[in-house]
């Protein structure tokens, strides 16, 4: 048996949100299973029917002028089984998932394994790598495409020992790197972004001290709209 709880103040969300969990002491099987992803979110990140995904999008990639995500969390417990990451999906014109980006800032052995070019994602036809610097930290970007054409974009610190729990992700900078190599499409849609912990096993908690997003885009009237704070 296992459990997960969340405590929050609706007047201060997301700040002060506390997630706690109690999962089995060891990873399941070969360690490929993630028991949970307790997270906070900006936008309408729930995956649903394809029409929902486009109708509830914030904007298309080509219309985004600013997209920054600031975070400050405190992790405790069995840290070796925790992968703190930001998660973002792209959708095509039909509302189908075109790509997923995971920006792994406090990587576990689980994600370090899957981001290795010698393993499954790195061995897909056409898989390739980029690098990007964010907050003074160098990150590797692995771009992998599955047989259906859906892309998995896995971002991890170049130094696997790097563990970060606060900072800012400049998503426009990430998009620019990927757009230069045609890894993403300007007509794809974005619905939002999540920040949370992939939990493989053990007990733990995540206290969200700060989670804020600023998202500016050009609307159909050629006016700039800013969401978030």
């Amino acid at each position: 048996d296992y459990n997960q709880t969340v405590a929050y103040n609706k007047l201060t969300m997301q700040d002060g949100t506390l997630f706690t969990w109690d999962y089995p002491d060891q990873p399941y099987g070969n360690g490929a299973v993630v028991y949970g992803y307790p997270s906070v979110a900006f936008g309408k990140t729930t995956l649903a029917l394809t029409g929902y995904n486009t109708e509830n999008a914030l904007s298309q990639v080509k219309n985004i002028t600013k997209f920054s995500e600031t975070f400050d969390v405190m992790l405790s417990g069995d840290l070796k089984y925790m992968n703190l990451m930001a998660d973002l999906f792209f959708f095509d014109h039909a509302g189908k998932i075109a790509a997923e980006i995971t920006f792994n800032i406090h990587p576990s052995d689980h994600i370090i394994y899957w981001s290795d070019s010698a393993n499954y994602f790195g061995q897909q036809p056409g898989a390739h790598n980029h690098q990007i610097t964010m907050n003074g930290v160098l990150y590797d970007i692995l771009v992998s495409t599955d047989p259906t054409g859906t892309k998995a974009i896995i971002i991890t610190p170049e130094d696997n020992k790097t563990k970060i729990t606060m900072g800012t992700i400049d998503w426009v900078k990430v998009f620019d790197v990927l757009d230069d190599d045609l890894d993403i499409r300007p007509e794809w849609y974005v619905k939002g972004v999540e920040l949370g912990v992939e939990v493989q096993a053990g007990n733990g908690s995540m206290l969200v001290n700060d989670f804020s997003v600023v998202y500016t885009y050009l609307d159909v009237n050629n006016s700039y709209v800013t969401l978030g704070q």
Side-chain angles (χ1 to χ4, degrees):
D1 293 338
Y2 54 84
N3 63 74
Q4 177 178 301
T5 62
V6 58
Y8 62 91
N9 183 332
K10 65 181 181 180
L11 298 179
T12 61
M13 287 183 68
Q14 314 280 347
D15 301 350
T17 300
L18 174 65
F19 295 94
T20 59
W21 55 84
D22 180 7
Y23 290 109
D25 292 337
Q26 298 295 325
Y28 180 82
N30 63 2
V33 172
V34 173
Y35 281 110
Y37 180 57
S39 63
V40 289
F42 171 84
K44 298 183 178 180
T45 57
T46 303
L47 302 180
L49 299 176
T50 54
Y52 178 93
N53 291 333
T54 52
E55 292 167 6
N56 288 278
L58 299 176
S59 74
Q60 291 178 289
V61 173
K62 63 184 178 183
N63 293 325
I64 302 172
T65 60
K66 181 180 178 63
F67 185 7
S68 65
E69 173 187 356
T70 299
F71 61 93
D72 177 0
V73 305
M74 181 181 297
L75 302 177
S76 64
D78 295 317
L79 297 178
K80 65 180 180 180
Y81 296 131
M82 301 180 196
N83 176 45
L84 178 65
M85 72 175 195
D87 194 21
L88 181 150
F89 286 88
F90 295 104
F91 302 89
D92 65 17
H93 70 281
K96 295 180 180 180
I97 296 173
E100 179 186 12
I101 302 180
T102 61
F103 201 121
N104 305 277
I105 45 187
H106 187 290
S108 63
D109 290 345
H110 171 78
I111 196 63
I112 290 172
Y113 173 86
W114 289 114
S115 63
D116 190 323
S117 295
N119 294 322
Y120 174 81
F121 292 104
Q123 292 301 301
Q124 296 303 300
H128 55 279
N129 294 276
H130 306 289
Q131 287 191 317
I132 190 172
T133 300
M134 196 76 65
N135 302 312
V137 177
L138 182 63
Y139 290 86
D140 293 325
I141 304 175
L142 173 63
V143 181
S144 177
T145 306
D146 71 16
T148 71
T150 303
K151 294 181 183 292
I153 302 168
I154 306 172
I155 305 176
T156 52
E158 193 271 340
D159 180 354
N160 290 337
K161 296 180 180 179
T162 299
K163 308 291 184 183
I164 295 171
T165 57
M166 62 183 299
T168 298
I169 298 173
D170 182 345
W171 284 105
V172 171
K173 184 176 181 179
V174 175
F175 295 172
D176 286 345
V177 170
L178 297 171
D179 183 60
D180 285 346
D181 205 40
L182 303 180
D183 292 321
I184 62 174
R185 302 295 181 183
E187 66 271 15
W188 285 352
Y189 292 85
V190 174
K191 288 173 58 183
V193 65
E194 293 181 78
L195 176 76
V197 179
E198 284 190 323
V199 183
Q200 276 191 289
N203 303 328
S205 67
M206 176 177 73
L207 173 63
V208 181
N209 295 313
D210 181 36
F211 173 75
S212 56
V213 175
V214 176
Y215 188 103
T216 303
Y217 68 97
L218 193 65
D219 69 9
V220 294
N221 298 315
N222 288 321
S223 297
Y224 290 101
V225 177
T226 297
L227 305 174
Q229 59 179 2

